[in-house]
Amino acid sequence: LDLGEVFRAARRHRWLSVGVPLALLVSTGAFLWWTAPVYEAGTTIRIDQERSGVAIIEALKTLSSGSKITTEMEELRSRTLAEEVVDSLALDLAVVRPRKVSRSVLFDRVETDPVARDVRLTLERRGNGVFRVSGVDGVEQDVQVGQVLNLPGVTLVLAPAAASHDRIVIEHSAFNRAVRDAQQRIDVSRPNREADFIRVRYESTDRELAVAVPDVIARRFIARRNAVRTHEARRTAEFLEEQLGLLDGQLVVAEEE
C-alpha cells in the first residue's frame, strides 16, 4: 500500500473524506440528543435467618438457606408487590414530553385510579402560569400552576417549574399494563451465592423514579416480612399460653387425686 496514493486519493475526494466523518458525528449527536437516557438504581436487602442456638438445627438451616433465599426473591418479583409499587408511585402515568425531564419536576402531586382507562393528555401553556388541558373526551379546560386538576382517573398539581415548558404531554396506561411493564423493569438477583443478600434494580427514563422504585420495593417487602413474623410470634405465644393452661389444669387434677 503506497501512502502517496492514499494521500492523492484523499485529496481527490476531500469532500467525501471530510463529509463522511462529519455526517457520522452529526448523526451520533442527533441520536444522543433525541434518545432519552435510561437510569438504573438499586438497593440491597439482607435476609436474616432466625437463630435457634442448637448446632444441629443451625446446620440444617444452612443446607436449606438456598431455597429460603429463592422464595424471598420470588416474593420480590411477585405481581402483588409490583401492584403496590405501581399504585404508590403512580407508575401508570408517564411524561411523554418534554423528554429527559423527571415527572416530579413538572408535577407536585400525581394520583391515579387503577381502574382508569388509557388516556393521553396535552397541556399547552397559555401564559401567566395557565395551561390549556385537552385530550379527555374532546373537552378543554384551563388549569393554573399550583391548582388541583381533577380528571377521570387522574389528579394532578402542576409544579412551578412546569411554567418554563410550552407543551407537556402525559400518558396514563391501564393499570395491568403498567404492572407488567414494572415487572419487566425490575431485576432481582443474588450477587453472591454464599451470602444472604438480594439485589433489586430498576431501570427508567425518569431518574427520580428509578431511585424511588427499589426503595419502595424494599420497604414494602420488609414490612411484609415483619408482619408475617409478628403474626407467627403471636400465634406461638397463644399456643404456649394454651398449653400452659392445659398443664395447670392437669396439675390441679393431679394434686386433687
Side-chain angles (χ1 to χ4, degrees):
L1 181 62
D2 188 355
L3 292 178
E5 292 183 1
V6 173
F7 289 132
R8 285 192 294 272
R11 284 197 298 270
R12 287 196 302 269
H13 305 283
R14 58 183 178 275
W15 293 113
L16 186 62
S17 302
V18 175
V20 171
L22 182 61
L24 181 60
L25 181 62
V26 171
S27 60
T28 301
F31 175 79
L32 294 175
W33 177 83
W34 179 260
T35 304
V38 177
Y39 301 96
E40 181 183 283
T43 187
T44 301
I45 303 172
R46 177 176 177 175
I47 307 299
D48 288 329
Q49 304 290 339
E50 295 182 358
R51 304 296 178 182
S52 65
V54 181
I56 185 63
I57 295 178
E58 291 302 319
L60 292 174
K61 283 187 175 182
T62 301
L63 294 175
S64 62
S65 63
S67 60
K68 177 67 174 178
I69 297 296
T70 302
T71 302
E72 304 291 9
M73 291 174 65
E74 288 304 314
E75 172 68 18
L76 287 164
R77 297 190 185 105
S78 68
R79 177 180 174 85
T80 54
L81 191 56
E83 288 177 350
E84 292 183 18
V85 174
V86 171
D87 183 56
S88 63
L89 294 176
L91 295 181
D92 46 354
L93 189 137
V95 175
V96 178
R97 180 175 176 182
R99 295 174 298 102
K100 304 180 182 180
V101 177
S102 294
R103 191 182 66 184
S104 61
V105 174
L106 303 173
F107 301 98
D108 284 335
R109 176 183 170 191
V110 176
E111 295 179 4
T112 58
D113 188 342
V115 300
R117 59 186 175 86
D118 293 352
V119 64
R120 185 183 181 97
L121 302 173
T122 301
L123 294 81
E124 299 278 357
R125 189 175 63 181
R126 312 293 289 179
N128 296 324
V130 177
F131 283 81
R132 175 68 53 84
V133 184
S134 60
V136 181
D137 301 325
V139 179
E140 295 184 346
Q141 67 180 95
D142 290 343
V143 62
Q144 182 85 25
V145 169
Q147 178 184 353
V148 177
L149 173 63
N150 289 310
L151 298 171
V154 179
T155 300
L156 303 169
V157 175
L158 282 167
S164 62
H165 299 278
D166 294 329
R167 190 166 182 258
I168 300 173
V169 180
I170 58 177
E171 282 187 350
H172 178 268
S173 302
F175 187 74
N176 287 335
R177 185 183 305 115
V179 171
R180 289 195 300 270
D181 179 67
Q183 286 183 289
Q184 292 174 357
R185 293 172 181 268
I186 296 171
D187 178 70
V188 180
S189 61
R190 187 180 183 184
N192 187 344
R193 305 297 298 179
E194 302 300 324
D196 295 337
F197 291 95
I198 298 177
R199 180 73 172 170
V200 180
R201 295 179 297 177
Y202 183 79
E203 290 185 351
S204 175
T205 54
D206 189 308
R207 178 172 54 188
E208 296 190 14
L209 287 179
V211 174
V213 169
D215 182 64
V216 172
I217 291 175
R219 291 177 183 274
R220 296 298 177 94
F221 173 75
I222 293 171
R224 283 186 175 193
R225 293 189 83 232
N226 290 340
V228 170
R229 287 184 173 183
T230 301
H231 178 68
E232 291 177 348
R234 186 180 297 113
R235 289 184 59 186
T236 300
E238 292 174 352
F239 173 77
L240 291 175
E241 289 179 0
E242 180 182 350
Q243 294 303 309
L244 288 174
L246 292 175
L247 289 174
D248 287 341
Q250 292 173 359
L251 287 172
V252 170
V253 172
E255 290 176 355
E256 291 178 350
E257 292 178 352

